[in-house]
Amino acid sequence: MSACVPTRATDSHQNRTKRAPQPHSPPPSPPRRFRIAGADVSASIAVFLIALPLSLGIALATGAPLQAGLVAAAAGGLVAGRLGGCPLQVSGPAAGLTVVTADLIHRYGWRTTCAVTVLAGLAQLALGCLRVARTALAVSPAIVHGMLAGIGVTIAVAQLHIVLGGTPQSSVLANLRALPAQLADVHPADVAMSVLTLALLLLWPRVPGRLGQLMRKIPAALVAVAGATLTASLTGLSLAKVDLPSWSSHALAGLPEGPALGIAAAVLTTTLVCSVQSLLGAVAVDKLVAGQPGLSARVGRSNLNRELLGQGAANIVSGTLGGLPVAGVAVRSSANVQAGAVSRNSTMLHGVLVVVAALLMVPVLELIPLASLAALVMAVGIQMVSLNHIRTVTRHREVLVYAVTTLGVVFLGVLEGVLLGVTVAVAVALNRLAHTRITHDEKEGVHHVHVRGQLTFLAVPRLSRTLHLVPQGTHVVVELDGSFMDHAAYESLQDWQNSHTARGGTAELTGRRMGVRDTGADRTGFETALADTATGATSGTTTEAPARTTADAPTGGPTTSTVCRCHPWTPWRNHQCDHRRSTPAGGHPADPTDQPADRPAPGTAEPNSTGTAEPSGPDTGTHPGTGTHPGAGPNPGADTGTHPGTAGPSNPGTETRTNTGTPRSFTGTGPGTAGSQLARGISAFQRDTAPLVRGELARLAREGQRPSQLFLTCADSRLVTSMITSSGPGDLFVVRNVGNLVPPPGEESGDDSVAAAIEYAVDVLRVRSITVCGHSGCGAMQALLNSEPGGARTPLKRWLRHGVPSLERMADDGRPWARLAGRAPADAVEQLCLTNVVQQLEHLRGHESVARALRERALELHGMYFHVGEAQAYLLTEADEGGLFDGVGVADMSA
């Protein structure tokens, strides 16, 4: 290794330039000073101005002491804000908990309600320690939205009585029955303040023009309550107003009093609503952050288990101090993100401001009319019944679950309504699983049996009756439009197929993914397809239907129709496919004992592309696999092509393959040559993949490309961008070069290809993000480390000069190293690969088009590192000078 290899020192007490070399492990990060960004300060003020009236209004709606709302807001901001796993989520008293808390206060009193809040916090801590946060997200969205809608209806009906100048009852039915009498006894002053509050709340965000943009910086909720308060004070109206007793008389939590079963149900309900609302709020905040260019890399993705722990701690503190239950609040969290918050400091500062207001602003708060707070909370309740959610559940055919949950919450209670919704959701799921539609029709002499839905033992009688309606000796196409077949259905289909073909008929199995076909002369393909489809039943797992189709050969013609069962990325080196009863062009069956000299005998291990031994198939020595790409089928952009097998040994280098009845010959210079492999790969694409993607590509041809990302990565053949990112046609604008380098502006010496691609992607295609992706074992980085000064200036060396800044960055003792989460870089090459990603992002920011888009917040930059040997992707999550690459796991997809 050359003298360019960087060194690091180990003695943290000495000068950085005097450290001993440590090439394989980066030094610890220096301690950070506590700093508060100006954006966090302004965001905390905006959130505080929203939280203050809402906290008082929710406390009023529950029947709790009004101070309890302020205590919960302070605990949510300080405790959940500091300990939670979603930095930008703002917690406090939530409207979704209003019904639950009001019912607890009505049944058990205030001190027991505080004790229930503490117990619910302890339950959340236990759930967080068990790391089951993501399990809570498995609840059907229809149930969650239905629960929130039911709570919203309950809140709106109850607060309507306060808006009209009366007092709400204990249940929705009681409130509805008392509504006619309340309408007959309206208090004009309360109604006037409520109408003024609602009008300001509705019209304030809709003021047009530049003036409206300036006015919208002040929260509408604050303007509405402040306007009603000022009007009431100036006109001298006789109104019920906020009453905040002395803090010395504030009631704290006491020992729970009541039946044990009732207390346990109350704790369960409070834990359920608090946890689900907080976790869904964290996921929603992640989506908001992802839509803010430049913010996602700085904030990072939420840790849901930590968020659950933070919410539990906040509920313990709030309940102990006599506050309402705490949960993540969507309105405040959204305002926090939109106000420009960049860290959890904004959430904590908002909690500090609430404490200051509770101690110093009591005279001002006591001027607020209760009718104005009730109108504000009633508007929040109405907004909880979201038309967008109703359209979504209707589109997914879950409106029944939504309606049952909503009505259950309204008329029975939150816990009862949720349990009722879960029951209906399970029943709907079972009905969909058991419901199978089987039809039979005849077109041009071919009988078609179409099976829609999952094929289980419940559908076997109807399937058997339909199949036996098919006349003997005919050609039948059985189309399976589902993803699961159990063993009973498999045996029924196989028995019928054996009987049908024995009487001179032919059978063809197809499906949404175009399964393997068979003409009846050779039943292997049909039986194999059935076996593959039924594997889930026999092995305890569920598998998708087969996805390869081989057309029937003309009768009497030479045929080499084979079933290729290799993965789309099966390596070309030593690649041998399974020729099921294939016949070479000469017309003689291939001898199964004849094999190329470099091919192991069946059942032995053959070297794969990495040089290691890999077991072959039991009879053919094929690569194991199902022959389907994980993304095949509904995602037309996935790689679904296969590498067809090589020719039989009797005629090496030449293969004759039937494709839609037309023989084709591909001739190479020898077995497995690159030319013949390329031709066979193209043929496989035309046969298997083109029919699946043709519609999508036609749409892209009409509409033009609209990629959302520019993906800049290395030209290394082991990096398959579409596979790593699960993307398809039209998703990524890809630029590849040696070393994933981004030359700084003006330094390309006549090669403007990368700069041109960046300019085109940002200014013309309007991509929303750019990702620079490095990888392990990069030959360009190895060449940089081994480079010696002088020598011939070859094109490769001239190009790699753009990587020298990365080498210098790694060698600079004044800069922290880029690092991986959980482990140190394996060697200097991996360290340089990580550093190179960070350095190339810095080069990228220097391009004019990128810099302009970043200023306009229309673009965000991402760093990525892919470890080839581990098939593990890492994303750059910290925006400090060094950079931390965190591994992406399977669980991250649901967030």
Side-chain angles (χ1 to χ4, degrees), residues 246-268:
S246 172
W247 284 102
S248 60
S249 61
H250 179 64
L252 304 179
L255 293 176
E257 299 178 359
L261 188 61
I263 297 296
V267 172
L268 176 62

Side-chain angles (χ1 to χ4, degrees), residues 454-501:
Q454 315 312 317
L455 196 51
T456 65
F457 67 95
L458 298 174
V460 167
R462 288 185 290 125
L463 176 65
S464 180
R465 286 195 300 268
T466 303
L467 291 175
H468 282 86
L469 293 177
V470 177
Q472 299 179 3
T474 58
H475 180 60
V476 186
V477 177
V478 180
E479 184 175 355
L480 303 178
D481 192 1
S483 60
F484 176 77
M485 178 194 301
D486 69 5
H487 191 67
Y490 158 70
E491 287 192 344
S492 177
L493 269 175
Q494 189 179 46
D495 291 343
W496 167 82
Q497 187 261 347
N498 291 337
S499 175
H500 185 73
T501 55

Side-chain angles (χ1 to χ4, degrees), residues 494-517:
Q494 189 179 46
D495 291 343
W496 167 82
Q497 187 261 347
N498 291 337
S499 175
H500 185 73
T501 55
R503 291 176 172 83
T506 58
E508 180 180 322
L509 177 65
T510 65
R512 181 175 292 178
R513 291 173 174 81
M514 299 184 66
V516 177
R517 297 180 182 177

